Amino acid sequence: MLEEVLRFFAPRTGETALDCTVGWGGHAVELLRGVGPEGRLIGIDMDAEHLEGTRRRLSETGLPFELQHGNFAGVQQILAGLGIGQVDMVLADLGMSSMQVDDAGRGFSYSRPGPLDMRMDRSRGRTAAELLASISAEEFATQLRELGDEPEAELIAAAIIQALSRKRLESTDELARIIVEALHPEQPAGKWRVHPLTYKWKTHPAARTFQVLRILVNRELANLQQLLRVIPVVLRPGGRAAIISFHSGEDRLVKIAFRDGLRSGVYETVGEDAVRASEQEKLQNPRSRSAKLRWAVHK
Ligand SMILES: C[S@@+](CC[C@H](N)C(=O)[O-])C[C@H]1O[C@@H](n2cnc3c(N)ncnc32)[C@H](O)[C@@H]1O
């Protein structure tokens, strides 16, 4: 949703932009061009593994920027460490990047065999395997229902915990197989993806479970709640915030925080409805079908 983000921010020369989820720098490079040589871009990512590539990409502009490995929940401390108090723009493009999903070694994908890790920051925290080894069937079923809207939450949680009673789960393909066998014992090798152009995608039986596990492993909702609390503090008067989410629970948090901020007078304006990806983008990038962009302007 690059165009939509740039249209809303309309970055001006000399401004400071903060990209809380810099990823490979797709948004950041355009924000950097917008703020120009007198401006500044700060990019943060919890995942250190692609930051060097992003640094090279941003360097090609010849414009000034800072990249930091860190969690956006700690954005105030990160900015303070750089001697920056407030910024003009805050962007967060939540969730995971295609580079993370495509790298089987990270364990995010149900369709690529890899270790059951799923940490965006591999220097800390519990892996998905460790989390599953310590959760009860009841608790996991609750998370699958509440975070993943998974209609078969109990069945999936019971199958996983039963498998864990026999041996520890270490790989994504083992986990995906357990889920598929529990839900579709008659069709364990079924075809789950229909051509994207038809828009008729059959969700893979393990998709929701993998998403819930990733959200839990990376404490994604708690991080977002903390970011939403500090955005009004780090934005200058008149500063703009834009958040892109891919999950209904995240979108709800953003919608409520912006609405409450408008009511309490923290924000001057907030977008009434979420902005969705264009039809063209949805065709080119199927993941954008679930993207929702919400924005707010500080008083
Ligand atoms: C959808 S991608 C962002 C892509 C980016 N906008 C671009 O143009 O390349 C999301 C990124 O956010 C990072 N991320 C997720 N949660 C984070 C957090 N709490 N703090 C910092 N980065 C986070 C992920 O590691 C991932 O690289």
Side-chain angles (χ1 to χ4, degrees), residues 119-196:
R119 286 170 304 162
M120 290 183 186
D121 182 350
R122 280 202 276 194
S123 68
R124 64 186 69 211
R126 281 191 304 179
T127 64
E130 287 164 344
L131 187 144
L132 281 177
S134 67
I135 201 166
S136 69
E138 292 72 30
E139 197 188 335
F140 194 47
T142 305
Q143 301 284 10
L144 286 175
R145 221 179 311 106
E146 291 181 359
L147 278 180
D149 291 328
E150 173 56 69
E152 302 294 352
E154 275 72 23
L155 190 59
I156 292 175
I160 294 173
I161 302 304
Q162 199 191 10
L164 279 166
S165 68
R166 293 192 295 273
K167 75 181 262 297
R168 207 179 137 94
L169 285 181
E170 297 291 355
S171 70
T172 52
D173 45 333
E174 273 178 284
L175 178 62
R177 197 173 49 243
I178 290 165
I179 299 167
V180 171
E181 282 173 3
L183 299 187
H184 301 278
E186 77 296 345
Q187 195 192 1
K191 277 199 183 304
W192 307 109
R193 292 200 141 190
V194 178
H195 197 276

Side-chain angles (χ1 to χ4, degrees), residues 85-147:
Q86 290 182 313
V87 300
D88 300 288
M89 291 165 268
V90 174
L91 171 66
D93 178 14
L94 302 171
M96 58 188 172
S97 68
S98 46
M99 291 178 306
Q100 289 167 326
V101 192
D102 292 346
D103 181 349
R106 305 297 300 271
F108 290 109
S109 170
Y110 47 76
S111 56
R112 291 184 174 81
L116 207 46
D117 189 328
M118 298 199 196
R119 286 170 304 162
M120 290 183 186
D121 182 350
R122 280 202 276 194
S123 68
R124 64 186 69 211
R126 281 191 304 179
T127 64
E130 287 164 344
L131 187 144
L132 281 177
S134 67
I135 201 166
S136 69
E138 292 72 30
E139 197 188 335
F140 194 47
T142 305
Q143 301 284 10
L144 286 175
R145 221 179 311 106
E146 291 181 359
L147 278 180

Side-chain angles (χ1 to χ4, degrees), residues 20-27 45-47 70-72 93-97 100 120 223:
C20 294
T21 52
V22 70
W24 72 281
H27 287 99
D45 206 293
M46 202 167 157
D47 189 336
N71 187 328
F72 59 55
D93 178 14
L94 302 171
M96 58 188 172
S97 68
Q100 289 167 326
M120 290 183 186
N223 290 335

Side-chain angles (χ1 to χ4, degrees), residues 29 58 63-64 67 70 80 101 113 115 168 196 204 236 259 287 293:
V29 80
L58 295 177
L63 296 164
L67 279 191
V101 192
R168 207 179 137 94
H204 188 285
R236 287 201 183 109
R259 187 198 62 199
R287 193 171 167 255
L293 163 68

